[in-house]
Amino acid sequence: MTKQLEEISENFGTNELVRTNTHNKNLARFAAKINQLIQLFKQNQQSVERREMELKQEITNISHDLRTPLTSIKGFSELLTDSCLSEEERKEFLSIIQKKIDNLTMIVDLFYELSQLDSSDKKLNLEKQFLDQVVVETMLMFFDDFEKKQLKVDLDEGTVSPVLADDKAIVRIVTNIIQNALTYAKSYLKINYVEEEKYIWLRAVNDIEKINVTELQQIFNRTFRLEPSRTGTQLGLGLHIVQQLVNKQGGKAVAEVRENEFIIEVSFRKWD
């Protein structure tokens, strides 16, 4: 057994375990415990390697998404030094720079928010919230964006029972769902509610390009992108943050695809 352990230590990447033909129950039990420790250690090693790969992917995402608006800001800033620019062109370039700065600010805010979610010190203040009102107010904030993308919006105007939620968290959840639709929807977004005995479900549906099962299973991962080549404020973090915030408030977040429609549903506990 000692020789086997030495070989396992030297070649730890293999699936070898300690083997024994002993009839001594205590010794057999001891060997079983050693194997249990070996398996636990290997599982931990695999988990560490997986986290390292995810971290590398996140760093790649961060670098890409910060570089894109920074490159635009640098380029248009250099153009502003051209003395031949007309006042109209100067205003246009300044407007583009401002939008890129706003984009950068939102990116940084998302990463800060993600770090806060992972902090055990961050506590949510659950109070009475009106989900239907939050949705309407948030949708109005993105009115111009829907107009520019020519997305048809079908919003359930009915009222639902109040929910138990944190005021900032519920706004962020709705905002991220809307931003996700703005990023990936082809022509429409539908939002409605399903009221159950103890929960209120918010259901958002938009049409999309084809998505496979593997992509759907990763939709809430913070390193996932539906389209790696596209940039924006989602960064693969938007729906991950939605899931984390919903879970922290005692609800659930689920996603599915039916034909060419992407459906995301999040639940909130009813306020008693």
Side-chain angles (χ1 to χ4, degrees):
M1 288 172 63
T2 301
K3 186 176 181 180
Q4 289 182 65
L5 278 172
E6 289 174 352
E7 291 177 354
I8 290 171
S9 297
E10 291 174 2
N11 304 283
F12 200 73
T14 66
N15 294 320
E16 289 295 320
L17 296 174
V18 174
R19 300 180 304 278
T20 177
N21 294 322
T22 181
H23 296 292
N24 185 301
K25 291 183 179 179
N26 289 330
L27 189 57
R29 195 158 46 242
F30 179 67
K33 289 297 181 183
I34 289 176
N35 286 336
Q36 187 178 17
L37 284 173
I38 292 172
Q39 289 174 326
L40 287 171
F41 193 87
K42 286 183 177 180
Q43 288 173 4
N44 182 66
Q45 187 182 51
Q46 291 171 352
S47 178
V48 169
E49 290 174 356
R50 185 172 60 252
R51 286 198 297 269
E52 287 178 352
M53 288 181 62
E54 289 176 352
L55 179 60
K56 287 179 182 178
Q57 183 62 53
E58 287 182 23
I59 291 172
T60 300
N61 286 352
I62 293 169
S63 300
H64 182 267
D65 290 295
L66 291 178
R67 187 186 301 116
T68 301
L70 282 172
T71 301
S72 293
I73 291 171
K74 183 176 183 295
F76 283 105
S77 297
E78 291 172 350
L79 287 173
L80 286 174
T81 62
D82 187 349
S83 58
C84 297
L85 279 181
S86 66
E87 188 62 27
E88 184 178 345
E89 289 174 322
R90 194 177 302 277
K91 287 181 179 179
E92 180 184 352
F93 292 164
L94 283 171
S95 175
I96 294 172
I97 290 172
Q98 185 59 58
K99 288 179 180 178
K100 297 300 180 182
I101 291 173
D102 291 341
N103 190 9
L104 270 177
T105 303
M106 185 169 289
I107 290 171
V108 174
D109 287 345
L110 276 174
F111 283 112
Y112 174 75
E113 190 170 342
L114 185 62
S115 70
Q116 293 295 298
L117 280 176
D118 294 335
S119 172
S120 58
D121 298 331
K122 180 69 174 179
K123 303 295 182 184
L124 297 180
N125 184 25
L126 302 183
E127 298 178 327
K128 181 181 181 181
Q129 307 291 341
F130 295 95
L131 177 61
D132 48 337
Q133 292 181 14
V134 172
V135 172
V136 170
E137 291 168 3
T138 309
M139 290 288 286
L140 288 173
M141 290 170 51
F142 293 95
F143 179 81
D144 290 340
D145 299 280
F146 283 109
E147 288 286 307
K148 289 176 183 176
K149 286 207 66 176
Q150 297 183 331
L151 292 181
K152 181 182 177 181
V153 178
D154 184 1
L155 179 61
D156 185 350
E157 297 181 1
T159 58
V160 292
S161 301
V163 298
L164 188 65
D166 179 271
D167 57 346
K168 293 181 180 178
I170 193 172
V171 171
R172 171 51 69 188
I173 290 168
V174 175
T175 297
N176 285 12
I177 289 174
I178 292 173
Q179 287 179 329
N180 187 74
L182 281 167
T183 302
Y184 298 116
K186 291 171 60 180
S187 62
Y188 64 82
L189 169 64
K190 302 176 184 178
I191 293 181
N192 67 297
Y193 312 97
V194 178
E195 186 161 349
E196 297 179 348
E197 183 180 353
K198 295 183 179 180
Y199 292 91
I200 302 292
W201 286 84
L202 169 64
R203 187 173 187 267
V205 182
N206 62 267
D207 56 342
I208 57 169
E209 300 292 345
K210 290 183 179 180
I211 179 174
N212 61 45
V213 176
T214 303
E215 289 177 326
L216 183 61
Q217 291 172 344
Q218 300 179 71
I219 203 75
F220 291 113
N221 291 356
R222 64 186 187 184
T223 56
F224 175 73
R225 289 172 176 275
L226 187 60
E227 298 176 59
S229 63
R230 292 183 65 171
T231 60
T233 57
Q234 285 305 97
L235 314 181
L237 295 177
L239 294 186
H240 173 75
I241 289 175
V242 166
Q243 185 186 56
Q244 294 299 306
L245 286 175
V246 168
N247 289 348
K248 280 179 174 285
Q249 296 177 105
K252 293 181 181 179
V254 294
E256 65 174 322
V257 171
R258 294 178 187 169
E259 296 182 354
N260 67 329
E261 287 188 330
F262 173 72
I263 305 166
I264 180 169
E265 297 174 302
V266 295
S267 66
F268 299 87
R269 286 183 293 164
K270 280 187 178 180
W271 180 79
D272 294 327

